[in-house]
Amino acid sequence: MRTSRPVAASLAVAGYIVMIVPILFVVATAFTAGRSLKFPPEGFSLRWFEAAFSYDPFLSALVSSLELALLATLLALVIGVPVTLAIHRGRLPGKGIVEGLFLSPLIVPELVVGLALYQQLIIGLRLDNFPVLLIGHTVLMLPYAVRVTGASLALADPGVEEAARGLGASPVRTFFTVTLPLLRPGIFSAGLLSFVTSFNNVPLSLLLQSRDFRTLPVTMLDYVQQSYDPMVAATSTIILAGTVVVAVIAERTVGFARIFGGINR
């Protein structure tokens, strides 16, 4: 294919290679028949997938990660959607400052956020680890809720809401019958992004989790430090496959391109 920007195209190809090739190595080693992480794999076997599904620490950590990701996503949407409406439809003073505040977790390193929560809430207020971990994950998910739903709202025609109010609909009825359906693709996309990001989070979870509540990525990290067998590669492949399935379903049902196209406007 000919392109008018050969340097940009070459950098894009190099970037895809850097991101995809290591993933292919992990997936290949997950199907090895050997007893250690080695490439090329020694034969073909599904034994490590069976081991991953029967390993109790991974299963309990999976339940913990799902619980944490669902709660954090729900809280982020409950907070983020009203903030988005206030920024884009309300008369909120200092809208730019408010939006920048809710997008700031994308800039601040997660370890800094985690350390601040640890010092102020766990040490200072003596809160349990799980509520603080949930707060931390919710804070990290807020930018997705505000930015993605904001992009969906920016693509919507405000005249539709004005027409509903002009026909006598109350603000509450207008929200549930007009605004919320317009926001539904953005809410769905923000929820998926938040869930996947929270589920795969390591730095914040590593700093704030307790012995009684451990997430799957951190449990996998601990396992790699103690063992060198391909079970972690098999678990990673399962998570990757699940993420791809969720992304494909979301693209077919909502259309990520339309939502993220609005972000760049």
Side-chain angles (χ1 to χ4, degrees):
M1 295 180 61
R2 295 182 179 179
T3 177
S4 59
R5 299 178 179 179
V7 176
S10 300
L11 291 176
V13 172
Y16 279 116
I17 292 175
V18 170
M19 290 187 296
I20 294 176
V21 171
I23 296 176
L24 296 179
F25 286 159
V26 172
V27 173
T29 55
F31 293 93
T32 184
R35 299 184 59 85
S36 62
L37 287 169
K38 184 178 179 181
F39 190 88
E42 302 174 356
F44 178 85
S45 175
L46 298 176
R47 57 180 291 194
W48 298 112
F49 289 92
E50 298 176 0
F53 280 115
S54 60
Y55 188 58
D56 289 337
F58 280 2
L59 295 178
S60 60
L62 173 62
V63 174
S64 299
S65 293
L66 291 174
E67 178 185 353
L68 178 62
L70 286 172
L71 290 176
T73 299
L74 180 61
L75 288 176
L77 291 175
V78 169
I79 298 172
V81 171
V83 170
T84 301
L85 291 172
I87 292 174
H88 291 272
R89 293 290 191 266
R91 298 179 179 178
L92 184 67
K95 293 181 181 180
I97 298 177
V98 174
E99 185 175 13
L101 178 64
F102 278 89
L103 297 181
S104 60
L106 293 175
I107 303 174
V108 180
E110 294 182 17
L111 287 178
V112 175
V113 176
L115 182 60
L117 293 174
Y118 183 81
Q119 290 179 333
Q120 299 299 322
L121 300 183
I122 295 181
I123 296 180
L125 299 181
R126 299 188 180 276
L127 296 180
D128 292 335
N129 290 77
F130 178 74
V132 178
L133 182 60
L134 179 59
I135 292 173
H137 275 244
T138 302
V139 169
L140 295 182
M141 301 309 110
L142 283 176
Y144 299 101
V146 173
R147 197 70 176 97
V148 178
T149 55
S152 180
L153 192 60
L155 292 173
D157 184 7
V160 179
E161 300 169 80
E162 295 176 1
R165 288 193 293 268
L167 293 173
S170 64
V172 176
R173 186 173 182 182
T174 301
F175 172 76
F176 284 104
T177 59
V178 178
T179 307
L180 189 58
L182 293 175
L183 278 175
R184 189 175 296 133
I187 294 175
F188 186 68
S189 300
L192 286 178
L193 286 174
S194 299
F195 178 83
V196 172
T197 304
S198 175
F199 184 89
N200 291 299
N201 179 272
V202 172
L204 192 70
S205 301
L206 182 63
L207 188 60
L208 296 179
Q209 71 178 8
S210 63
R211 293 183 179 180
D212 299 329
F213 188 93
R214 302 181 65 82
T215 61
L216 181 58
V218 177
T219 303
M220 293 169 61
L221 180 62
D222 293 340
Y223 186 85
V224 169
Q225 295 174 347
Q226 302 172 4
S227 180
Y228 201 64
D229 62 53
M231 187 165 66
V232 170
T235 307
S236 301
T237 302
I238 296 170
I239 296 174
L240 175 63
T243 304
V244 170
V245 170
V246 170
V248 171
I249 294 174
E251 176 60 31
R252 293 294 181 87
T253 56
V254 177
F256 274 138
R258 187 171 72 89
I259 296 301
F260 296 125
I263 291 179
N264 296 324
R265 294 187 176 185

